[in-house]
Amino acid sequence: MNITTDQNDLPVFPGLRSQRCPFDPPEEYAGWRQAEGLQRVRLSNGGTAWVVTRYEDARAVLTDPRITADARLYPELRSDSRNLPPAFPRMDGPDHARIRRMLTGDFTVKRVAAMRPHIEELVGGFLDEMISAGAPTDLVRAYALPVPSLVISLLLGVPYADHEFFQKHSNTLISITTPLDEKTAARSALFGYVLELVARKERDPGDDLISRLLAERVATGELSREDVAMNSMILLFAGHETTANMIALSTLTLLRNPEQAARIRDTDDPAMAANAVEELLRYLTIAQDKINRVATEDLTIGGQQVRAGDLLTVSLSAANRDPSFLDHPDVLDITRETRGHLAFGNGAHQCLGQQLARAELQIALPALFRRIPGLRPAIPFEDVMFRHDMSAYGVHELPVTW
Ligand code: HEM
């Protein structure tokens, strides 16, 4: 058991990944996973929490009804602004389920399958542009960000022309080091923007999720306009940052593992590409922060006594590298069957957009390596700037050439 009285002595979470192995979780996580009980850590907002690093413990925490994500009851679960209505990922129980149900229809396997030809077309368009603009280029700006950004914009009905505005504010929001007042300002700016968009859609509806929520849920009194704006903002934000980082970081990982890149490039088997994406999701597990919960009663997790009101933070990356979950967890092997990983979380809050993210990755990665077989980094590996400071890990930029 780890009990430290002075909070300044506690290790900081999330930790820093080593520049030597930037695809691996911070080195100390393996020690925490092996130690008895749970490790106590200091969070970036100054609070303290128990960090959960073992695979079975992570699943248990994310599915235990005595453990909550509800920021209305536990304001410490709110990462920034307190002056806006809570979004459904920070609710629990029937309220969370009710709103989530209103949105799931747009993210089912079937709906996403129907979107695939359109995503393929968009991906092809961005590749055409990138190739005709010529090398070198920053893959993040030219490809990894635009693909998911355009897809989620179309789905929600957000004009893509405004992407620079919402990308700038999203970046502020997910930066671990941004001061609280700047995060609050960014969230308010984004909220104001979406609220205005909701008003426009009310006057002039389109074939999109926001217009549908207005017609089906606001008109019936089930949701307010503010609810629609808040939850659309969450989707806009969650929908592009994470997937963009997975596209860029996966590309870099594959460039470092050329024989595995060749497999993705040369296969015409969609099952092979799908499997490769699952393994990349597991191996890279980019959600490195903010998987926070509170115990609502005294309980024991991983042999640790946890008191009612204690904050728990789950390290999905440590859990996905747990040798009790799969053999040789630190090896990337896109041919192995990777099932049951926690890159999208687990339980009631498991990622709503996971099918969409999978489709985007399954399309964007093979297409990139096929269209540009000579793709290679334009800078030495040591000079790549990793996003240690962001909730979604990845690279700030990825200069490439061909
Ligand atoms: C590779 C890309 C993605 C990764 C790695 C990822 C990861 C995650 C994780 C780990 C969670 C669980 C958070 C928790 O338990 O506290 C989550 C939840 C969520 N994700 Fe994703 N996500 C991705 C893409 C997307 C996309 C494309 C969308 C939307 C369009 C999306 C929307 C959401 C939403 C709305 C939630 C909250 C669900 C709830 O609380 O009920 N995500 N995501």
Side-chain angles (χ1 to χ4, degrees):
M1 204 171 12
N2 292 288
I3 295 181
T4 312
T5 42
D6 184 351
Q7 149 174 347
N8 292 325
D9 290 346
L10 295 175
V12 173
F13 183 87
L16 259 191
R17 306 194 187 213
S18 120
Q19 187 72 18
R20 219 168 15 91
C21 315
F23 303 122
D24 291 348
E27 282 165 7
E28 60 273 25
Y29 291 9
W32 299 348
R33 207 168 44 218
Q34 283 155 20
E36 266 178 49
L38 304 178
Q39 173 69 39
R40 197 99 182 115
V41 287
R42 191 154 45 90
L43 302 176
S44 49
N45 66 6
T48 52
W50 298 108
V51 60
V52 179
T53 48
R54 285 182 285 272
Y55 179 83
E56 281 310 326
D57 294 344
R59 280 185 73 116
V61 165
L62 296 173
T63 52
D64 191 323
R66 298 167 302 169
I67 297 176
T68 186
D70 204 325
R72 295 168 304 173
L73 302 172
Y74 297 96
E76 59 270 41
L77 285 166
R78 299 194 83 154
S79 42
D80 40 75
S81 148
R82 279 151 207 229
N83 57 352
L84 295 176
F88 78 98
R90 287 283 169 259
M91 295 180 181
D92 248 334
D95 294 340
H96 167 258
R98 185 177 70 91
I99 300 180
R100 189 169 160 126
R101 260 200 312 275
M102 294 179 193
L103 304 170
T104 42
D106 285 82
F107 297 97
T108 57
V109 175
K110 200 167 153 208
R111 280 297 274 279
V112 170
M115 288 171 70
R116 285 185 85 109
H118 197 181
I119 300 175
E120 276 162 15
E121 208 179 294
L122 300 176
V123 161
F126 282 122
L127 283 171
D128 288 344
E129 271 176 40
M130 197 169 107
I131 293 164
S132 71
T137 191
D138 171 17
L139 192 90
V140 174
R141 294 266 141 224
Y143 191 61
L145 251 174
V147 170
S149 187
L150 182 53
V151 170
I152 194 68
S153 299
L154 288 170
L155 200 144
L156 285 168
V158 172
Y160 181 66
D162 295 342
H163 70 281
E164 282 190 6
F165 170 85
F166 62 75
Q167 260 151 30
K168 185 179 119 205
H169 291 302
S170 302
N171 258 320
T172 307
L173 276 180
I174 71 158
S175 162
I176 292 168
T177 51
T178 306
L180 197 64
D181 54 340
E182 277 179 42
K183 283 198 182 188
T184 304
R187 195 172 269 257
S188 297
L190 267 178
F191 186 67
Y193 167 85
V194 183
L195 205 55
E196 207 182 289
L197 183 68
V198 166
R200 258 188 284 153
K201 298 258 166 214
E202 215 165 9
R203 292 192 298 270
D204 183 16
D207 179 15
D208 54 62
L209 201 153
I210 294 182
S211 302
R212 253 193 317 284
L213 286 176
L214 282 166
E216 293 168 14
R217 309 293 181 177
V218 175
T220 56
E222 288 170 89
L223 289 181
S224 67
R225 287 174 188 81
E226 286 72 22
D227 292 333
V228 172
M230 190 66 206
N231 292 308
S232 304
M233 183 175 107
I234 293 295
L235 292 176
L236 181 61
F237 171 61
H240 74 276
E241 272 292 342
T242 42
T243 315
N245 282 299
M246 259 311 286
I247 294 175
L249 196 62
S250 302
T251 303
L252 179 62
T253 310
L254 291 167
L255 289 174
R256 301 282 294 169
N257 293 274
E259 67 303 338
Q260 304 206 49
R263 277 175 176 272
I264 288 190
R265 189 189 58 225
D266 298 338
T267 183
D268 49 13
D269 175 8
M272 157 75 201
N275 201 71
V277 164
E278 291 313 299
E279 172 67 353
L280 284 162
L281 283 162
R282 177 201 72 82
Y283 181 75
L284 297 171
T285 311
I286 58 162
Q288 59 173 357
D289 189 23
K290 302 272 161 53
I291 313 296
N292 295 344
R293 302 290 190 269
V294 170
T296 62
E297 48 185 89
D298 292 355
L299 37 90
T300 305
I301 298 154
Q304 180 71 52
Q305 291 279 352
V306 171
R307 296 235 177 85
D310 279 1
L311 197 63
L312 293 151
T313 191
V314 180
S315 170
L316 299 174
S317 62
N320 275 340
R321 296 291 190 101
D322 186 342
S324 75
F325 161 48
L326 86 176
D327 293 336
H328 311 297
D330 293 328
V331 173
L332 172 78
D333 175 4
I334 59 161
T335 62
R336 75 162 121 202
E337 274 197 21
T338 308
R339 290 218 190 96
H341 67 74
L342 302 178
F344 290 119
N346 203 241
H349 293 278
Q350 199 179 32
C351 181
L352 177 74
Q354 59 186 284
Q355 302 306 343
L356 184 60
R358 285 189 167 106
E360 292 179 44
L361 289 162
Q362 289 164 11
I363 294 168
L365 290 171
L368 174 66
F369 285 95
R370 245 172 246 148
R371 287 286 304 276
I372 316 181
L375 189 75
R376 58 186 194 279
I379 56 169
F381 185 62
E382 300 69 50
D383 294 347
V384 175
M385 276 171 54
F386 289 91
R387 292 166 49 111
H388 297 288
D389 51 340
M390 298 290 190
S391 299
Y393 187 63
V395 288
H396 284 290
E397 36 175 67
L398 183 57
V400 290
T401 189
W402 53 87

